[in-house]
Amino acid sequence: GVMVMCSTRTGYFQAEHLQLLRPLAAQIAVAIENAGLYSEKSRDALTRRVLNEVAKDMTAILGLEELLSRIAVLMRRVVEYEILGIFLFRPKTELRELKVAIGYAEETVERWRNLPMGMGLLGHAIIARKTLISTDLMHDPRAIRAKTTDGRWTQSEVAIPLISRHRLLGGLVVESCDP
C-alpha cells in the first residue's frame, strides 16, 4: 500500500515529519499484512473444516447420491458458486454421467446427462488430468455453454478432474454467469 499526505502550504513537510511518518507507515504496513494473513488463515481453517466434514461424511454416508449431494452443500461453504455439476466416469461406456446439477436449466441437464470423455472444458481437463479455467466460454472452443434455471448462459468455468490413486472417478464443474 501507499500512504500519501499532502499540504496546501508550500514547504510544509520537514525532516521531523518524516521521522514521525516512517515508523507510523511501517506499523500500518504490518497491520495490513497481519490482517491479510488473518483472513488467509481463517479461509484456510474453513477449508480444512469443510474437508474434514467431507471426509467424515464419506465414511458415514453409504449412498453415493447422498454423498455427492452433501459434498455440493459443503462446497458452498468454501466457494460461493452459482452453478455446480458433479460427473462420474463410466469406464464401460467411456461416458461422464451427470450426478449432481445445481443451477442448470432442465434442457442443459438433459443434454449433459451423459457426455463423451473429451467433450467440453471438463473433458479437456480430464484428458489433461489437470484443472482448467475458462473466463470466456463464448469464445473458448473447448467449452459447452450451459443455460441456467433463470435463462442466463454461463460465461466462465472451472473444470476439475476427480482422480484417486491415478484412477479417474469423474469431474467437477463450477460455473458462473459472470466472466
Side-chain angles (χ1 to χ4, degrees):
V2 176
M3 182 169 73
V4 178
M5 296 190 75
C6 301
S7 174
T8 57
R9 293 180 16 209
T10 304
Y12 174 75
F13 293 110
Q14 304 294 317
E16 62 266 9
H17 290 109
L18 286 177
Q19 288 175 338
L20 293 171
L21 292 174
R22 279 189 183 132
L24 177 62
Q27 288 298 314
I28 291 170
V30 168
I32 290 171
E33 187 174 9
N34 286 342
L37 289 173
Y38 177 77
S39 176
E40 187 178 309
K41 293 289 183 199
S42 296
R43 194 172 42 254
D44 289 349
L46 174 62
T47 301
R48 280 193 300 279
R49 279 196 307 273
V50 169
L51 289 173
N52 188 30
E53 284 186 49
V54 168
K56 219 168 39 176
D57 285 353
M58 284 180 172
T59 59
I61 297 173
L62 297 177
L64 182 59
E65 305 285 331
E66 184 184 353
L67 175 63
L68 294 176
S69 295
R70 179 74 177 137
I71 288 170
V73 168
L74 290 172
M75 274 189 59
R76 185 162 267 148
R77 290 178 41 195
V78 177
V79 178
E80 278 295 319
Y81 61 80
E82 292 178 78
I83 304 141
L84 174 86
I86 300 176
F87 293 82
L88 293 182
F89 175 56
R90 300 295 178 212
K92 289 180 182 172
T93 60
E94 289 287 312
L95 294 174
R96 300 182 321 243
E97 182 182 354
L98 181 60
K99 299 303 276 183
V100 174
I102 297 174
Y104 292 111
E106 190 57 38
E107 63 197 65
T108 298
V109 172
E110 287 306 314
R111 192 171 40 128
W112 284 22
R113 190 146 322 274
N114 292 291
L115 289 174
M117 281 302 296
M119 194 171 182
L121 190 66
L122 180 58
H124 284 82
I126 286 171
I127 289 169
R129 292 190 173 247
K130 68 178 188 177
T131 298
L132 296 178
I133 299 173
S134 178
T135 57
D136 186 4
L137 294 177
M138 184 182 289
H139 297 102
D140 190 331
R142 305 168 299 177
I144 308 169
R145 290 180 69 209
K147 194 173 188 179
T148 64
T149 52
D150 62 3
R152 296 178 298 153
W153 290 93
T154 55
Q155 301 296 320
S156 58
E157 176 179 334
V158 177
I160 308 162
L162 300 175
I163 299 169
S164 176
R165 296 185 194 116
H166 306 290
R167 194 174 128 233
L168 175 65
L169 301 177
L172 173 76
V173 291
V174 180
E175 299 191 68
S176 175
C177 292
D178 296 324

